[in-house]
Amino acid sequence: MTTYHIAPSLLSADFARLGEEVCAVVEAGADWIHFDVMDNHYVPNLTFGPMVCQALRPHTTAPIDVHLMVQPVDTLAQAFCKAGADLVSFHPDASAHVDRTLQLIKAEGKRSGLVFNPAAPLDILEWTLDKIDLVLIMSVNPGFGGQSFIDSALRKIEQARKLIDRSGRDIRLEVDGGIKVDNIRRAADAGADTFVAGSAIFGAGDYRSVIQAMRAELSAPGPLVA
C-alpha cells in the first residue's frame, strides 16, 4: 500500500504568523512542511532564507522539505541543511555539478532530491537515481503560488514512477503546483505519493477539512481497468 504524504507550502501561508501557521497546519494533519526558496535570479520572485528555516525549526518535528529555486545551489543547500531542513531538493539545470551538489547534501546527513520543471526532461535520473531520495515534478512553472495545474505533468509523473520502480529504491515522487482536492487523485493515479499544496490549504478557513478531503480522495477506490 502506498503511503501518501501531504506537504503544505509555506509560500501561501501568512508570512506575519509563520510559526503559528506551521503549528496549525501540522495539527490539521500535514505530514511535511514544504519550504519554497526563491532567489529572484533562477525564478522571478524572492522568498525565504536559511534564517527563516532555522527560526521555524523549533516549532515542529514534522520534516521540513526545502525546494531550492536558486542559482548557484551549493552554498544555500548547505546552509539550509545546517538550518534544520530534513530534505533539500534542487533543479539540475541550476547546479554546475549535480553529483557534487547531491554529495554536499548527503554529507550533511540530509535527504536529497531533484526537481524538474514542466518542460525539463528526466534524462538525468538515469545517472542519479542511486543518489537521491525524492523526485519532484513541477506541475506549474516555478516562481509564484496559486497557478493552475499543467496537465502534461501527469505524463511526466508516470514516466518518473516507472524509473523509480525500476530502480527498486525507496524514492518519494512529489508533485508541486496547482494541487487541489479535485485533482489530487489524478496525480496519485499517475504515480505521485507526495503532494505539495499551498493556496488550496492556506487559502481555506479550515486547514483540517481540506487535508481530510484530500486524504479522502487518495483513499477512494481507483478507476476500474478493463
Side-chain angles (χ1 to χ4, degrees):
M1 291 291 292
T2 302
T3 301
Y4 294 115
H5 289 347
I6 294 176
S9 169
L10 291 185
L11 187 63
S12 297
D14 181 347
F15 284 12
R17 301 172 48 250
L18 278 183
E20 296 171 41
E21 291 277 66
V22 166
C23 293
V25 80
V26 171
E27 176 65 23
D31 301 291
W32 292 1
I33 295 297
H34 191 77
F35 206 90
D36 286 301
V37 181
M38 305 181 189
D39 65 353
N40 198 36
H41 179 68
Y42 182 73
V43 292
N45 201 355
L46 185 66
T47 57
F48 315 101
M51 286 187 293
V52 178
C53 181
Q54 185 175 21
L56 291 176
R57 180 71 277 180
H59 289 264
T60 184
T61 59
I64 294 179
D65 169 31
V66 171
H67 169 198
L68 295 178
M69 289 165 271
V70 304
Q71 190 175 28
V73 178
D74 292 358
T75 300
L76 278 175
Q78 290 177 298
F80 273 97
C81 288
K82 296 180 188 302
D86 296 279
L87 192 150
V88 176
S89 57
F90 63 94
H91 294 253
D93 59 306
S95 170
H97 300 284
V98 172
D99 187 80
R100 182 174 65 191
T101 303
L102 292 172
Q103 289 184 44
L104 290 172
I105 295 169
K106 290 293 188 180
E108 297 289 341
K110 308 298 183 177
R111 288 177 283 171
S112 61
L114 292 178
V115 190
F116 296 89
N117 287 330
L122 299 179
D123 302 11
I124 199 167
L125 288 179
E126 180 180 356
W127 314 106
T128 54
L129 274 176
D130 61 328
K131 303 177 180 70
I132 62 176
D133 305 283
L134 176 138
V135 174
L136 171 52
I137 303 298
M138 294 299 297
S139 44
V140 297
N141 288 296
F144 298 93
Q147 299 181 62
S148 297
F149 187 90
I150 296 173
D151 284 341
S152 61
L154 295 172
R155 297 199 306 275
K156 188 173 289 184
I157 293 169
E158 291 172 354
Q159 183 183 358
R161 171 50 60 196
K162 290 176 183 176
L163 292 169
I164 290 170
D165 290 348
R166 196 178 305 148
S167 76
R169 298 191 67 248
D170 182 16
I171 298 171
R172 302 298 299 185
L173 179 50
E174 188 171 39
V175 58
D176 180 2
I179 292 293
K180 303 181 184 304
V181 173
D182 62 6
N183 65 14
I184 193 170
R185 182 54 189 261
R186 293 170 63 208
D189 288 342
D193 54 38
T194 304
F195 308 90
V196 177
S199 57
I201 293 175
F202 286 109
D206 185 345
Y207 301 163
R208 182 179 297 276
S209 66
V210 177
I211 292 173
Q212 288 179 339
M214 288 179 171
R215 293 202 189 280
E217 288 292 319
L218 294 171
S219 63
L224 294 175
V225 178

